Amino acid sequence: MIPLKDYNPTTSFPVVTLVLIGACVWIYFFVQPSGQGAFVERTAREQVEEIRWTVRNAAIPCELVQGRPLTDGEVIDTFGDGDSTACRDDRSGDTFAPGKNVYLAALLSMFLHGGLLHLGGNMLFLWVFGNNIEDRLRPWWYVVFYLAGGIAATVAHVALEPTSTVPVVGASGAIAAVMGAYLVLFPNAPILSIVPIFFFGFFAEISAKWLLGFWFVSQFFVSPNSGVAWAAHVGGFVFGVVVALVFRDRLVPPRPAPGWAGESY
């Protein structure tokens, strides 16, 4: 199911949500090599440079566990031989990205994406669900919650695959935290969605609890070879649920905006 919009009014304009979307889009098209060549066919050399850039800047479980960047040998084993768990206890050998702050990379990775579909899907989900969570938390706490949710998602992924040498990119872990909080705070909000049936689809209004519940359960059936960090999604979602349950009585109560017809921003 693909959410398109929710019918859940807010009392404030979602500045932070729009800034987050703008930052992800800007970084993809103007910073990441993959985004700068998104609409043209890339040469083999450009694809290699894209991999090099990603390894230098993105979070990698092995690096986070061992507190140091990958060696040249680990990079070669990963991308040359296809060994996704090439992490070694032996730190001998030249470092591939000297000076890389592996912990700062975990933060940067929340703003990187692997392709247009990856970017577009994440930004759609953030647009649909983010504004109401921002409205309840207020901007500054929403920023803290979003970043903490992304870190929690990364921790969950690293805990499951501590020896992985494959870069992890995407805002989906942080967005999953937003979705988890939305489930707790707005379980009955109607979501206009596309429901795919084989090669077709139809529009339907689905309660948030059903759509988000289905999304959460579906993460456990993701193919191991899909390249999707499902554990990060689960970790982020659970983080969002727990935070919303603990703090929901202290949050700004939802109020219909004066004169609002029923659509969210």
Side-chain angles (χ1 to χ4, degrees):
M1 292 181 283
I2 304 172
L4 298 178
K5 65 188 298 185
D6 65 342
Y7 298 97
N8 191 7
T10 58
T11 61
S12 59
F13 190 75
V15 175
V16 174
T17 298
L18 289 174
V19 168
L20 290 171
I21 292 173
C24 288
V25 172
W26 185 83
I27 289 173
Y28 181 75
F29 284 108
F30 296 100
V31 178
Q32 288 188 243
S34 55
Q36 296 175 45
F39 300 104
V40 296
E41 185 175 353
R42 295 190 296 277
T43 65
R45 181 184 179 87
E46 289 172 333
Q47 293 176 20
V48 169
E49 287 304 315
E50 179 182 330
I51 292 173
R52 290 177 178 273
W53 189 93
T54 303
V55 172
R56 291 189 182 107
N57 293 279
I60 299 174
C62 175
E63 294 184 335
L64 293 170
V65 170
Q66 298 206 10
R68 48 85 182 178
L70 296 182
T71 63
D72 288 342
E74 289 169 327
V75 172
I76 292 172
D77 289 346
T78 302
F79 298 99
D81 299 334
D83 183 1
S84 63
T85 58
C87 192
R88 301 169 181 166
D89 291 330
D90 181 9
R91 304 186 184 190
S92 61
D94 294 333
T95 299
F96 182 80
K100 177 182 179 180
N101 186 319
V102 299
Y103 303 111
L104 184 60
L107 185 65
L108 176 60
S109 278
M110 296 183 207
F111 298 90
L112 307 179
H113 288 85
L116 283 174
L117 287 178
H118 189 206
L119 175 69
N122 276 350
M123 295 307 98
L124 174 62
F125 274 71
L126 181 56
W127 173 254
V128 171
F129 300 108
N131 60 332
N132 291 101
I133 303 305
E134 178 180 348
D135 194 50
R136 292 295 302 273
L137 294 179
R138 290 310 188 225
W140 288 113
W141 281 116
Y142 177 59
V143 171
V144 173
F145 169 78
Y146 182 89
L147 296 178
I151 294 298
T154 300
V155 169
H157 177 70
V158 172
L160 187 70
E161 300 186 36
T163 61
S164 173
T165 47
V166 177
V168 182
V169 297
S172 53
I175 296 170
V178 171
M179 294 162 64
Y182 196 103
L183 175 63
V184 172
L185 300 175
F186 308 102
N188 297 312
I191 312 293
L192 177 64
S193 308
I194 297 177
V195 181
I197 301 294
F198 297 105
F199 298 103
F200 303 95
F202 62 92
F203 295 98
E205 288 186 15
I206 303 172
S207 293
K209 59 187 175 186
W210 298 117
L211 187 148
L212 294 173
F214 175 82
W215 180 89
F216 179 74
V217 172
S218 70
Q219 301 309 302
F220 294 95
F221 296 92
V222 172
S223 170
N225 299 319
S226 66
V228 176
W230 65 270
H233 297 171
V234 171
F237 193 91
V238 171
F239 174 85
V241 167
V242 171
V243 169
L245 286 173
V246 171
F247 293 102
R248 63 179 170 183
D249 293 335
R250 308 177 193 178
L251 301 179
V252 177
R255 299 187 303 274
W260 194 252
E263 294 183 0
S264 63
Y265 285 110

